[in-house]
Amino acid sequence: MEKNYIKKIKEFYHQYLNIRSLRVRIFLIVLVVGIVPSVAMRYGIMRNYEQRAVELRTATVQSQLRVIADHLINEDYLNMRSSSALSLEYSNTSSSRVINAELEMLSNLYDGRVQIISGNLRIVKDTYSISEGKTIISEEVIKCFMGESLSNYDAQNGYIEITIPIIDNRNVGEGGSEGAGPNPRVKGVMLTSLSTDYIMETMEVLSRKAMILEALMIMAIVVIALILSIVLTRPFERVTKVINDVKAGYSNESISVPDLAETEHIVEAFNQLLQRMKVLDDSRQEFVSNVSHELKTPLTSMKVLADSLLVQEDVPAELYQEFMEDIVSEIDRENRIITDLLTLVKMDKKVSALNIASVNVNDLTELILKRLRPIARKKDVEVVFESVRPVTAEVDEVKMTLVMSNLVENAIKYNKEHGWVKVVLDADHQYFTFEVSDSGIGIPEDSLAQIYERFYRVDKSHSREIGGTGLGLAITKNAVLMHRGSITVTSTEGEGSTFLVKIPLNYVSQ
């Protein structure tokens, strides 16, 4: 029970939590792609609102301050407030009360502080009534006396500081003499600090609403990501299911899952593999059948010969000798078949390593032709060797001997009387070529694609006469492929054939 529970947990993990799972990756990608823009959008909206609100508040207050600045000039407020003798008298005038009321109203409206600074850098009016009569020196005030209007937003402390020059647009000479600044027309400065509490409160409300909306969006994104991850991976689950059905033996037919282009490609590759497996299975069955037939035929012949001797009485010694020679011939044939089969099986094993060494291919070819020339002389076939250039290559000498011997021996055996066999050895900077041409019986065009199949014979009766097993070219092709080479053939029936083997000079293992 506990093992089943652990197994279910592992299955759940691999299916829904494993980061290597395509479903989990799709879910995470959609989740990130959905959440990151929404968070960035909320942050961008809040920042944009804050910036826009500050700019709007600053522009509004600056406009109002300029209007008040004009009133200050028109009422000669700075000169009157700057003179201690006239200050008390002026403060009781109706114009002074109006201006003070405007300043107090502005201060209360924006929860801020307004200070009026005269040309001698003295504070003549402070709505907080704290700094009147004091001297103020700051970079902002000095720049403002040069005619610049400045504003600064301090988000950390929550206030906006605005500095407005009080400019006398009348004739410069008609004003008072208090204009000590670099710009004679600037008679004073209005330094205003505004609270941004209202903006912050509005941003908090917007932030709460945005977070609620963002939470709803995230929930929707999670649901969409989950649905997409399930829907997009469902075709792959179908592919897995049908492949498992084939693996379990419930079906061996080609499968089809055309939901996605990717699944279609996977299914197409699997169908090709399945077809290849069927071909291999058919080939294996045919191979077993051929092997059984090839091994059974000599045994049958030997049994017939032996039975013939057993049923006869007083058999002459000459007949015994003749029958025994036939039995020995069949045994030799059986031995050749078994030897070729063992050679082919060894080459089929992928673990079979090549004994690679640097070999003088010219000397190897001369040695092989020396061994085969006696066979050629019996059939009156001339063997010619043409070496274009010296060739040294990294090959397995034993297997390369099989390749050359099989091709030359076939060219001799399947030749005509008084025929010829020509062997040409050549090389370039990458490969060497071994070409065998003959004037023999040739190969029909419809048989060229099958000559490398095991036990395949173009002319079975002629092959049996010369002792062929039908495995020589299969062994040859396997040995060539093990060297990462290639073999091709051209032939004209009744005129002869040409086999061309191409082998790399330097062997590269994979």
Side-chain angles (χ1 to χ4, degrees):
M1 185 69 180
E2 185 178 354
K3 290 183 178 179
N4 292 334
Y5 182 71
I6 294 174
K7 184 179 179 181
K8 288 181 179 179
I9 292 177
K10 289 182 178 179
E11 289 178 354
F12 179 82
Y13 169 78
H14 286 295
Q15 187 171 5
Y16 296 104
L17 300 178
N18 190 357
I19 192 63
R20 295 179 60 194
S21 168
L22 179 62
R23 175 177 292 177
V24 174
R25 291 188 180 187
I26 292 175
F27 176 80
L28 292 177
I29 290 172
V30 175
L31 198 63
V32 171
V33 170
I35 290 177
V36 170
S38 65
V39 173
M41 181 178 65
R42 178 175 68 84
Y43 177 78
I45 290 174
M46 298 303 297
R47 293 292 298 171
N48 183 67
Y49 169 78
E50 182 181 12
Q51 182 181 357
R52 180 60 180 164
V54 169
E55 290 176 355
L56 185 61
R57 176 65 59 89
T58 302
T60 303
V61 173
Q62 282 178 336
S63 299
Q64 294 176 353
L65 290 176
R66 288 191 181 95
V67 172
I68 295 175
D70 290 340
H71 289 175
L72 296 177
I73 291 297
N74 292 333
E75 299 297 332
D76 203 17
Y77 185 87
L78 291 173
N79 289 334
M80 297 302 294
R81 295 285 298 186
S82 297
S83 174
S84 58
L86 299 175
S87 177
L88 181 60
E89 179 184 350
Y90 181 75
S91 63
N92 294 323
T93 63
S94 60
S95 60
S96 176
R97 288 196 298 272
V98 170
I99 292 174
N100 288 335
E102 288 179 351
L103 294 173
E104 293 293 338
M105 182 181 67
L106 182 67
S107 177
N108 294 331
L109 180 63
Y110 295 109
D111 191 18
R113 179 184 183 184
V114 181
Q115 299 176 76
I116 307 297
I117 303 168
S118 65
N120 58 6
L121 302 178
R122 287 182 60 202
I123 300 174
V124 298
K125 175 64 179 176
D126 182 0
T127 56
Y128 279 11
S129 302
I130 296 175
S131 303
E132 289 183 3
K134 295 181 179 180
T135 301
I136 182 170
I137 299 175
S138 68
E139 183 181 357
E140 291 80 6
V141 172
I142 299 301
K143 287 184 177 180
C144 198
F145 271 110
M146 295 179 181
E148 295 183 32
S149 296
L150 304 174
S151 65
N152 178 48
Y153 171 51
D154 190 338
Q156 185 175 359
N157 296 313
Y159 71 88
I160 304 171
E161 186 178 79
I162 301 174
T163 311
I164 295 292
I166 303 172
I167 301 175
D168 186 358
N169 290 319
R170 301 171 298 178
N171 292 330
V172 176
E174 295 179 0
S177 60
E178 298 292 335
N183 189 341
R185 296 179 61 197
V186 178
K187 302 302 181 180
V189 171
M190 297 183 70
L191 178 60
T192 307
S193 299
L194 308 175
S195 173
T196 58
D197 290 345
Y198 175 76
I199 296 175
M200 294 298 105
E201 290 172 0
T202 306
M203 286 182 62
E204 287 180 4
V205 174
L206 288 176
S207 180
R208 285 195 296 270
K209 292 182 178 180
M211 288 183 69
I212 294 173
L213 180 61
E214 185 178 339
L216 294 174
M217 289 178 62
I218 290 174
M219 292 173 60
I221 290 168
V222 169
V223 173
I224 292 172
L226 186 60
I227 293 173
L228 283 176
S229 64
I230 294 174
V231 171
L232 292 178
T233 57
R234 188 167 294 164
F236 294 96
E237 292 179 354
R238 291 183 57 200
V239 171
T240 303
K241 183 179 180 301
V242 294
I243 290 177
N244 286 334
D245 289 343
V246 173
K247 183 180 71 174
Y250 299 137
S251 172
N252 60 355
E253 299 298 326
S254 298
I255 62 177
S256 176
V257 185
D259 303 51
L260 300 173
E262 289 76 10
T263 58
E264 194 170 357
H265 294 158
I266 293 172
V267 167
E268 183 179 350
F270 177 78
N271 287 335
Q272 292 176 358
L273 176 62
L274 189 62
Q275 187 64 32
R276 175 64 177 164
M277 290 172 62
K278 289 180 180 179
V279 170
L280 289 176
D281 189 53
D282 293 342
S283 175
R284 188 180 298 109
Q285 292 180 6
E286 183 180 359
F287 177 69
V288 171
S289 176
N290 289 336
V291 168
S292 301
H293 175 74
E294 293 295 332
L295 294 178
K296 189 176 179 180
T297 301
L299 291 174
T300 303
S301 299
M302 286 186 283
K303 185 176 183 344
V304 170
L305 292 170
D307 288 342
S308 299
L309 291 176
L310 290 174
V311 298
Q312 295 184 40
E313 296 179 1
D314 301 327
V315 180
E318 294 82 4
L319 187 59
Y320 261 112
Q321 185 176 357
E322 181 184 348
F323 277 28
M324 290 306 294
E325 289 175 356
D326 291 340
I327 291 175
V328 169
S329 177
E330 293 297 330
I331 291 174
D332 290 340
R333 184 177 166 211
E334 187 96 4
N335 185 57
R336 285 196 301 272
I337 294 173
I338 293 173
T339 301
D340 287 348
L341 281 173
L342 291 175
T343 302
L344 201 56
V345 168
K346 288 179 182 179
M347 288 189 177
D348 279 344
K349 290 183 179 180
K350 299 303 180 184
V351 295
S352 177
L354 292 174
N355 185 20
I356 298 297
S358 182
V359 176
N360 187 317
V361 184
N362 302 74
D363 293 344
L364 180 62
T365 306
E366 290 280 10
L367 181 62
I368 292 170
L369 296 182
K370 182 179 179 181
R371 293 173 184 171
L372 295 176
R373 278 195 173 97
I375 302 175
R377 281 196 291 268
K378 288 182 180 179
K379 294 196 63 174
D380 195 18
V381 173
E382 182 183 6
V383 178
V384 179
F385 176 44
E386 180 182 342
S387 177
V388 179
R389 58 179 51 83
V391 177
T392 301
E394 296 176 358
V395 294
D396 185 315
E397 185 172 355
V398 174
K399 291 181 175 57
M400 193 52 55
T401 300
L402 281 174
V403 172
M404 297 178 173
S405 298
N406 282 336
L407 292 179
V408 176
E409 189 173 0
N410 282 349
I412 295 171
K413 289 181 178 179
Y414 293 95
N415 214 316
K416 302 173 182 177
E417 290 188 7
H418 315 299
W420 54 265
V421 173
K422 184 177 182 181
V423 178
V424 179
L425 182 63
D426 196 1
D428 56 23
H429 64 287
Q430 284 185 313
Y431 300 90
F432 78 87
T433 56
F434 181 79
E435 184 181 75
V436 180
S437 305
D438 63 64
S439 60
I441 60 175
I443 304 170
E445 187 176 353
D446 56 356
S447 298
L448 288 175
Q450 300 171 280
I451 59 174
Y452 301 109
E453 295 179 7
R454 298 165 183 180
F455 296 110
Y456 181 81
R457 296 185 180 90
V458 177
D459 186 349
K460 294 185 179 180
S461 60
H462 189 53
S463 296
R464 291 187 185 278
E465 290 177 3
I466 63 175
T469 63
L471 296 172
L473 287 180
I475 294 172
T476 300
K477 184 173 183 180
N478 274 19
V480 170
L481 294 178
M482 290 176 73
H483 284 85
R484 310 284 187 260
S486 64
I487 180 170
T488 56
V489 59
T490 56
S491 182
T492 303
E493 191 172 8
E495 295 183 9
S497 306
T498 299
F499 284 84
L500 178 64
V501 175
K502 191 174 182 180
I503 303 291
L505 291 171
N506 300 309
Y507 178 77
V508 179
S509 60
Q510 291 185 351

